[in-house]
Amino acid sequence: MKTPGTPATPPPPIGDPDPSALACAGDLVGPCAVCRRKTQRYGRGGNPLCRWCAAPVMDRWGPNVRHVSTRPQGTP
């Protein structure tokens, strides 16, 4: 039985980008914090983890887990 945060497909090779990286502007793409795969890290919908690295975190913490910016307000 598949759990809610687990992707249905096994991860592709690290050289292949996360699908989110293909659907956003190039300046929003950065490396996953765990595996270094290209993923959408910045902007609305960005995540520091690719979908395969985020799945175990979501399984552990639930789908409502969010990361909070620690930048001071007004800093770009």
Side-chain angles (χ1 to χ4, degrees):
M1 182 174 172
K2 182 185 162 311
T3 55
T6 306
T9 59
I14 295 296
D16 294 350
D18 184 53
S20 66
L22 303 174
C24 69
D27 62 338
L28 300 178
V29 174
C32 170
V34 175
C35 70
R36 312 305 289 172
R37 178 189 316 274
K38 288 183 181 179
T39 190
Q40 180 185 354
R41 283 195 59 155
Y42 309 103
R44 186 177 195 107
N47 189 338
L49 302 175
C50 70
R51 70 188 312 181
W52 293 279
C53 293
V57 174
M58 289 181 67
D59 287 344
R60 223 176 14 250
W61 293 94
N64 294 326
V65 68
R66 298 283 185 260
H67 39 268
V68 178
S69 175
T70 58
R71 290 183 181 185
Q73 293 298 320
T75 303

Coordinates of all heavy atoms in Angstrom, one line a residue:
M1 N 0.8 -1.2 0.0 CA 0.0 0.0 0.0 C 0.9 1.2 0.0 O 1.8 1.4 0.8 CB -0.9 0.0 1.2 CG -1.8 1.1 1.3 SD -2.9 0.9 2.7 CE -3.7 2.4 2.7
K2 N 0.6 2.2 -0.9 CA 1.4 3.4 -1.0 C 0.9 4.4 0.0 O -0.2 4.6 0.2 CB 1.2 4.0 -2.4 CG 2.0 5.2 -2.7 CD 1.6 5.7 -4.0 CE 2.0 7.2 -4.2 NZ 1.6 8.1 -3.2
T3 N 1.9 5.0 0.7 CA 1.6 6.1 1.7 C 1.4 7.4 1.0 O 2.0 7.6 -0.1 CB 2.7 6.1 2.7 OG1 3.9 6.3 2.1 CG2 2.7 4.9 3.6
P4 N 0.7 8.4 1.6 CA 0.5 9.6 0.9 C 1.6 10.4 0.4 O 1.6 11.0 -0.7 CB -0.3 10.4 2.0 CG -0.9 9.4 2.9 CD 0.1 8.3 2.9
G5 N 2.8 10.5 1.1 CA 3.9 11.3 0.7 C 4.9 10.6 -0.3 O 5.8 11.2 -0.8
T6 N 4.7 9.3 -0.5 CA 5.6 8.5 -1.3 C 5.3 8.6 -2.8 O 4.1 8.4 -3.2 CB 5.6 7.0 -0.9 OG1 5.8 7.0 0.5 CG2 6.6 6.2 -1.6
P7 N 6.2 9.0 -3.7 CA 5.9 9.0 -5.1 C 5.6 7.6 -5.6 O 6.2 6.7 -5.1 CB 7.2 9.6 -5.7 CG 8.0 10.2 -4.6 CD 7.6 9.5 -3.4
A8 N 4.8 7.6 -6.6 CA 4.4 6.3 -7.1 C 5.5 5.6 -8.0 O 5.5 4.4 -8.1 CB 3.1 6.4 -8.0
T9 N 6.4 6.4 -8.5 CA 7.4 5.9 -9.3 C 8.8 5.9 -8.6 O 9.0 6.7 -7.8 CB 7.6 6.7 -10.6 OG1 7.9 8.0 -10.2 CG2 6.3 6.6 -11.4
P10 N 9.7 4.9 -8.9 CA 11.0 5.0 -8.3 C 11.8 6.2 -8.8 O 11.5 6.6 -9.9 CB 11.6 3.7 -8.7 CG 10.9 3.2 -9.9 CD 9.5 3.8 -9.8
P11 N 12.7 6.7 -8.1 CA 13.5 7.9 -8.6 C 14.3 7.5 -9.8 O 14.9 6.5 -9.9 CB 14.3 8.2 -7.4 CG 14.4 7.1 -6.5 CD 13.2 6.3 -6.8
P12 N 14.3 8.5 -10.7 CA 15.2 8.3 -11.9 C 16.6 8.6 -11.5 O 16.9 9.0 -10.4 CB 14.7 9.3 -12.9 CG 14.1 10.4 -12.0 CD 13.5 9.7 -10.8
P13 N 17.6 8.4 -12.4 CA 19.0 8.7 -12.1 C 19.1 10.2 -11.6 O 18.3 11.1 -12.0 CB 19.7 8.5 -13.4 CG 18.8 7.6 -14.2 CD 17.4 7.9 -13.8
I14 N 20.1 10.4 -10.8 CA 20.3 11.8 -10.2 C 20.5 12.8 -11.3 O 20.1 14.0 -11.1 CB 21.5 11.8 -9.3 CG1 21.2 10.9 -8.1 CG2 21.9 13.2 -8.8 CD1 20.1 11.3 -7.2
G15 N 21.0 12.5 -12.4 CA 21.2 13.4 -13.5 C 19.9 13.9 -14.1 O 19.9 15.0 -14.8
D16 N 18.8 13.2 -13.9 CA 17.5 13.6 -14.5 C 16.9 14.6 -13.5 O 16.9 14.4 -12.3 CB 16.6 12.4 -14.7 CG 17.1 11.5 -15.7 OD1 18.0 11.8 -16.5 OD2 16.5 10.4 -15.8
P17 N 16.4 15.8 -14.0 CA 15.8 16.7 -13.1 C 14.4 16.3 -12.5 O 13.8 15.4 -13.1 CB 15.6 18.0 -13.9 CG 15.5 17.4 -15.3 CD 16.3 16.2 -15.4
D18 N 14.0 16.8 -11.4 CA 12.7 16.6 -10.9 C 11.7 17.3 -11.8 O 12.0 18.3 -12.5 CB 12.6 17.4 -9.5 CG 11.3 17.1 -8.8 OD1 10.9 16.0 -8.6 OD2 10.7 18.1 -8.4
P19 N 10.5 16.7 -12.0 CA 9.5 17.3 -13.0 C 9.2 18.7 -12.7 O 8.9 19.5 -13.6 CB 8.3 16.4 -12.8 CG 8.9 15.1 -12.4 CD 10.0 15.4 -11.5
S20 N 9.3 19.2 -11.4 CA 9.0 20.6 -11.1 C 10.0 21.5 -11.8 O 9.7 22.6 -12.1 CB 9.0 20.8 -9.6 OG 10.3 20.6 -9.1
A21 N 11.2 21.0 -12.0 CA 12.3 21.9 -12.6 C 12.0 22.1 -14.1 O 12.4 23.1 -14.7 CB 13.6 21.2 -12.5
L22 N 11.2 21.2 -14.7 CA 10.9 21.3 -16.1 C 9.7 22.3 -16.3 O 9.5 22.7 -17.4 CB 10.6 20.0 -16.7 CG 11.7 18.9 -16.6 CD1 11.2 17.6 -17.0 CD2 12.9 19.4 -17.3
A23 N 8.9 22.5 -15.3 CA 7.7 23.3 -15.4 C 7.8 24.7 -14.9 O 6.8 25.4 -14.8 CB 6.6 22.6 -14.7
C24 N 9.0 25.2 -14.6 CA 9.2 26.5 -14.0 C 10.3 27.3 -14.8 O 11.1 26.7 -15.5 CB 9.5 26.5 -12.5 SG 11.1 25.8 -12.1
A25 N 10.4 28.5 -14.5 CA 11.5 29.3 -15.1 C 12.8 28.9 -14.6 O 13.0 28.4 -13.5 CB 11.3 30.8 -14.8
G26 N 13.8 29.0 -15.4 CA 15.2 28.5 -15.1 C 15.8 29.2 -13.9 O 16.6 28.6 -13.2
D27 N 15.4 30.4 -13.6 CA 16.0 31.1 -12.4 C 15.4 30.6 -11.1 O 15.8 31.0 -10.0 CB 15.8 32.6 -12.5 CG 14.4 33.1 -12.6 OD1 13.5 32.3 -13.0 OD2 14.1 34.3 -12.3
L28 N 14.3 29.8 -11.1 CA 13.7 29.2 -9.9 C 14.3 27.8 -9.6 O 13.9 27.2 -8.6 CB 12.2 29.1 -10.1 CG 11.5 30.5 -10.3 CD1 10.0 30.2 -10.5 CD2 11.8 31.4 -9.2
V29 N 15.2 27.3 -10.5 CA 15.7 26.0 -10.3 C 17.0 26.0 -9.5 O 17.8 26.9 -9.7 CB 16.0 25.3 -11.7 CG1 16.7 24.0 -11.6 CG2 14.7 25.2 -12.5
G30 N 17.1 25.0 -8.6 CA 18.4 24.9 -7.8 C 18.5 23.4 -7.4 O 17.6 22.6 -7.7
P31 N 19.6 23.1 -6.8 CA 19.8 21.7 -6.4 C 19.0 21.3 -5.2 O 18.8 22.1 -4.2 CB 21.3 21.6 -6.1 CG 21.7 23.0 -5.7 CD 20.7 23.9 -6.5
C32 N 18.6 20.0 -5.1 CA 17.9 19.5 -4.0 C 18.9 19.5 -2.8 O 20.1 19.2 -3.0 CB 17.5 18.0 -4.3 SG 16.9 17.1 -2.8
A33 N 18.5 19.8 -1.6 CA 19.3 19.9 -0.5 C 19.9 18.5 -0.1 O 20.9 18.5 0.6 CB 18.6 20.5 0.7
V34 N 19.3 17.4 -0.5 CA 19.8 16.1 -0.1 C 20.6 15.4 -1.2 O 21.7 15.1 -1.1 CB 18.6 15.2 0.3 CG1 19.1 13.8 0.6 CG2 17.9 15.8 1.5
C35 N 20.0 15.3 -2.4 CA 20.6 14.5 -3.5 C 21.2 15.4 -4.6 O 21.9 14.8 -5.5 CB 19.6 13.5 -4.1 SG 18.3 14.4 -5.1
R36 N 21.0 16.7 -4.5 CA 21.5 17.6 -5.5 C 20.9 17.6 -6.9 O 21.4 18.1 -7.9 CB 23.1 17.5 -5.7 CG 23.8 17.4 -4.3 CD 23.5 18.6 -3.4 NE 24.1 19.8 -3.9 CZ 23.9 21.0 -3.4 NH1 23.1 21.1 -2.3 NH2 24.5 22.1 -3.9
R37 N 19.7 16.8 -7.0 CA 19.0 16.8 -8.3 C 18.4 18.2 -8.5 O 18.0 18.9 -7.6 CB 17.9 15.8 -8.1 CG 17.0 15.6 -9.3 CD 15.8 14.7 -9.0 NE 16.1 13.5 -8.3 CZ 16.5 12.4 -8.8 NH1 16.6 12.3 -10.1 NH2 16.8 11.4 -8.1
K38 N 18.3 18.6 -9.8 CA 17.7 19.9 -10.1 C 16.2 19.8 -9.8 O 15.5 18.9 -10.2 CB 17.9 20.2 -11.6 CG 19.3 20.6 -12.0 CD 19.3 21.0 -13.5 CE 20.8 21.3 -13.9 NZ 20.8 21.6 -15.3
T39 N 15.8 20.9 -9.0 CA 14.4 20.9 -8.6 C 14.0 22.4 -8.5 O 14.8 23.3 -8.5 CB 14.1 20.2 -7.3 OG1 12.8 20.1 -7.0 CG2 14.8 20.9 -6.1
Q40 N 12.7 22.7 -8.4 CA 12.2 24.1 -8.2 C 12.4 24.4 -6.8 O 11.6 24.0 -5.9 CB 10.8 24.2 -8.6 CG 10.3 25.7 -8.4 CD 8.9 25.9 -8.7 OE1 8.1 25.0 -9.1 NE2 8.4 27.1 -8.4
R41 N 13.4 25.2 -6.5 CA 13.7 25.5 -5.1 C 13.2 26.9 -4.7 O 13.0 27.1 -3.5 CB 15.2 25.6 -4.9 CG 15.8 24.2 -4.7 CD 17.2 24.3 -4.2 NE 17.2 24.9 -2.9 CZ 18.1 24.7 -2.0 NH1 19.1 23.9 -2.2 NH2 18.1 25.3 -0.8
Y42 N 12.9 27.7 -5.6 CA 12.6 29.1 -5.3 C 11.3 29.5 -5.9 O 10.7 28.9 -6.8 CB 13.7 30.1 -5.9 CG 15.1 29.6 -5.5 CD1 15.9 28.9 -6.4 CD2 15.5 29.8 -4.2 CE1 17.2 28.5 -6.0 CE2 16.8 29.4 -3.8 CZ 17.6 28.7 -4.8 OH 18.8 28.3 -4.4
G43 N 10.7 30.6 -5.4 CA 9.4 31.1 -5.8 C 8.2 30.3 -5.3 O 8.4 29.4 -4.4
R44 N 7.1 30.7 -5.7 CA 5.8 30.1 -5.2 C 5.8 28.6 -5.6 O 6.0 28.3 -6.8 CB 4.6 30.8 -5.8 CG 3.3 30.3 -5.3 CD 2.2 31.1 -5.8 NE 1.0 30.8 -5.0 CZ 0.5 31.7 -4.2 NH1 1.0 32.9 -4.0 NH2 -0.6 31.3 -3.4
G45 N 5.6 27.7 -4.7 CA 5.7 26.3 -5.0 C 7.0 25.7 -4.9 O 7.2 24.5 -5.1
G46 N 8.0 26.5 -4.6 CA 9.4 25.9 -4.5 C 9.6 25.1 -3.2 O 8.9 25.2 -2.2
N47 N 10.5 24.2 -3.3 CA 10.8 23.3 -2.1 C 12.3 23.0 -2.1 O 12.9 22.7 -3.2 CB 10.0 22.0 -2.3 CG 10.0 21.1 -1.2 OD1 10.9 21.1 -0.3 ND2 9.0 20.2 -1.1
P48 N 13.0 23.0 -1.0 CA 14.4 22.7 -1.0 C 14.7 21.2 -1.3 O 15.8 20.9 -1.5 CB 14.8 23.1 0.4 CG 13.6 23.0 1.2 CD 12.5 23.4 0.3
L49 N 13.7 20.4 -1.3 CA 13.9 18.9 -1.6 C 13.1 18.5 -2.8 O 12.0 19.0 -3.1 CB 13.3 18.1 -0.4 CG 13.9 18.4 1.0 CD1 13.2 17.5 2.0 CD2 15.4 18.1 1.0
C50 N 13.7 17.6 -3.6 CA 13.0 17.1 -4.8 C 11.9 16.2 -4.3 O 11.8 15.9 -3.1 CB 14.0 16.3 -5.7 SG 14.6 14.8 -5.0
R51 N 11.0 15.8 -5.2 CA 9.9 15.0 -4.7 C 10.2 13.7 -4.1 O 9.5 13.2 -3.2 CB 8.9 14.8 -5.9 CG 9.5 13.8 -7.0 CD 8.7 13.7 -8.2 NE 7.3 13.5 -8.0 CZ 6.4 13.4 -9.0 NH1 6.8 13.5 -10.2 NH2 5.2 13.2 -8.7
W52 N 11.4 13.1 -4.5 CA 11.8 11.8 -4.0 C 12.4 11.9 -2.6 O 12.2 11.1 -1.7 CB 12.7 11.1 -4.9 CG 11.9 10.7 -6.2 CD1 11.1 9.6 -6.3 CD2 11.9 11.4 -7.4 NE1 10.6 9.6 -7.6 CE2 11.0 10.7 -8.2 CE3 12.5 12.5 -7.8 CZ2 10.7 11.1 -9.5 CZ3 12.2 13.0 -9.1 CH2 11.3 12.2 -10.0
C53 N 13.1 13.0 -2.3 CA 13.7 13.3 -1.0 C 12.6 13.8 -0.1 O 12.7 13.6 1.2 CB 14.9 14.2 -1.1 SG 16.3 13.5 -2.0
A54 N 11.6 14.5 -0.6 CA 10.6 15.1 0.3 C 9.6 14.0 0.7 O 9.0 14.1 1.8 CB 9.8 16.2 -0.5
A55 N 9.4 12.9 0.0 CA 8.4 11.9 0.3 C 8.6 11.3 1.7 O 7.7 11.2 2.5 CB 8.5 10.8 -0.7
P56 N 9.9 10.9 2.1 CA 10.0 10.3 3.5 C 9.7 11.4 4.6 O 9.2 11.1 5.6 CB 11.4 9.8 3.6 CG 12.1 10.1 2.3 CD 11.1 10.7 1.4
V57 N 10.0 12.6 4.3 CA 9.8 13.7 5.2 C 8.3 13.9 5.4 O 7.8 14.0 6.5 CB 10.4 15.0 4.8 CG1 10.1 16.2 5.7 CG2 11.9 14.9 4.7
M58 N 7.5 13.9 4.3 CA 6.1 14.0 4.4 C 5.5 12.8 5.0 O 4.5 13.0 5.8 CB 5.5 14.2 3.0 CG 5.8 15.6 2.4 SD 5.1 15.8 0.8 CE 3.4 15.9 1.2
D59 N 6.0 11.6 4.8 CA 5.5 10.4 5.5 C 5.7 10.6 7.0 O 4.8 10.2 7.8 CB 6.2 9.2 5.0 CG 5.8 8.8 3.6 OD1 4.8 9.2 3.1 OD2 6.6 8.0 3.0
R60 N 6.8 11.1 7.4 CA 7.1 11.3 8.9 C 6.3 12.4 9.5 O 5.8 12.3 10.6 CB 8.6 11.5 9.0 CG 9.2 10.8 10.1 CD 10.7 10.9 10.3 NE 11.4 12.0 9.6 CZ 12.2 11.8 8.5 NH1 12.4 10.6 8.1 NH2 12.8 12.8 7.9
W61 N 6.2 13.5 8.8 CA 5.6 14.7 9.4 C 4.2 15.0 8.9 O 3.5 15.9 9.5 CB 6.5 15.9 9.1 CG 7.8 15.8 9.8 CD1 8.9 15.3 9.3 CD2 8.1 16.2 11.2 NE1 9.9 15.4 10.2 CE2 9.4 15.9 11.4 CE3 7.3 16.7 12.2 CZ2 10.1 16.1 12.6 CZ3 8.0 16.9 13.4 CH2 9.3 16.6 13.6
G62 N 3.7 14.4 7.9 CA 2.4 14.6 7.4 C 2.4 15.6 6.2 O 3.4 16.4 6.0
P63 N 1.3 15.7 5.5 CA 1.3 16.6 4.3 C 1.2 18.1 4.6 O 1.4 18.9 3.7 CB 0.0 16.1 3.5 CG -0.8 15.5 4.6 CD 0.1 14.9 5.6
N64 N 1.0 18.4 5.8 CA 0.8 19.8 6.2 C 2.2 20.5 6.6 O 2.2 21.6 6.9 CB -0.2 20.0 7.3 CG -1.6 19.7 6.8 OD1 -1.9 19.9 5.6 ND2 -2.4 19.1 7.7
V65 N 3.3 19.7 6.5 CA 4.6 20.3 6.9 C 4.9 21.4 5.9 O 4.8 21.2 4.7 CB 5.7 19.2 7.0 CG1 6.0 18.6 5.7 CG2 6.9 19.8 7.6
R66 N 5.4 22.5 6.4 CA 5.9 23.6 5.6 C 7.2 24.1 6.1 O 7.5 24.0 7.3 CB 4.9 24.8 5.7 CG 3.5 24.4 5.2 CD 3.5 24.4 3.7 NE 2.1 24.2 3.2 CZ 1.7 23.0 2.7 NH1 2.4 22.0 2.7 NH2 0.5 22.9 2.2
H67 N 8.0 24.7 5.2 CA 9.2 25.3 5.7 C 9.0 26.8 5.7 O 8.2 27.4 5.0 CB 10.4 25.0 4.8 CG 10.1 24.9 3.3 ND1 9.7 23.8 2.7 CD2 10.0 25.9 2.4 CE1 9.4 24.0 1.4 NE2 9.6 25.3 1.2
V68 N 9.6 27.4 6.7 CA 9.4 28.9 6.9 C 10.7 29.6 6.6 O 11.8 29.2 7.0 CB 9.0 29.1 8.4 CG1 8.8 30.6 8.7 CG2 7.8 28.3 8.8
S69 N 10.5 30.7 5.9 CA 11.7 31.5 5.6 C 12.2 32.2 6.8 O 11.5 32.7 7.7 CB 11.3 32.6 4.6 OG 12.4 33.5 4.3
T70 N 13.5 32.2 7.0 CA 14.1 32.8 8.1 C 14.8 34.2 7.7 O 15.4 34.8 8.6 CB 15.2 31.9 8.7 OG1 16.2 31.6 7.7 CG2 14.7 30.6 9.3
R71 N 14.5 34.6 6.5 CA 15.0 35.9 6.1 C 14.2 37.0 6.7 O 13.0 36.9 6.9 CB 14.9 36.0 4.6 CG 15.8 35.1 3.8 CD 15.6 35.4 2.3 NE 16.5 34.5 1.6 CZ 16.6 34.6 0.3 NH1 16.0 35.5 -0.4 NH2 17.4 33.8 -0.4
P72 N 14.9 38.1 7.1 CA 14.2 39.3 7.6 C 13.2 39.8 6.5 O 13.5 39.7 5.4 CB 15.3 40.3 7.9 CG 16.6 39.5 7.9 CD 16.4 38.3 7.0
Q73 N 12.1 40.3 7.0 CA 11.1 40.8 6.0 C 11.7 42.0 5.3 O 12.5 42.8 5.8 CB 9.9 41.3 6.8 CG 9.1 40.2 7.4 CD 8.6 39.2 6.4 OE1 8.1 39.6 5.3 NE2 8.7 37.9 6.7
G74 N 11.4 42.1 4.0 CA 11.9 43.2 3.1 C 13.2 42.8 2.4 O 13.7 43.6 1.6
T75 N 13.8 41.7 2.8 CA 15.1 41.3 2.1 C 14.7 40.4 0.9 O 13.9 39.5 1.0 CB 15.9 40.4 3.0 OG1 16.2 41.2 4.2 CG2 17.2 40.0 2.4
P76 N 15.2 40.8 -0.3 CA 14.9 40.0 -1.5 C 15.4 38.6 -1.5 O 16.3 38.3 -0.8 CB 15.5 40.8 -2.6 CG 16.4 41.8 -2.1 CD 16.1 41.9 -0.6

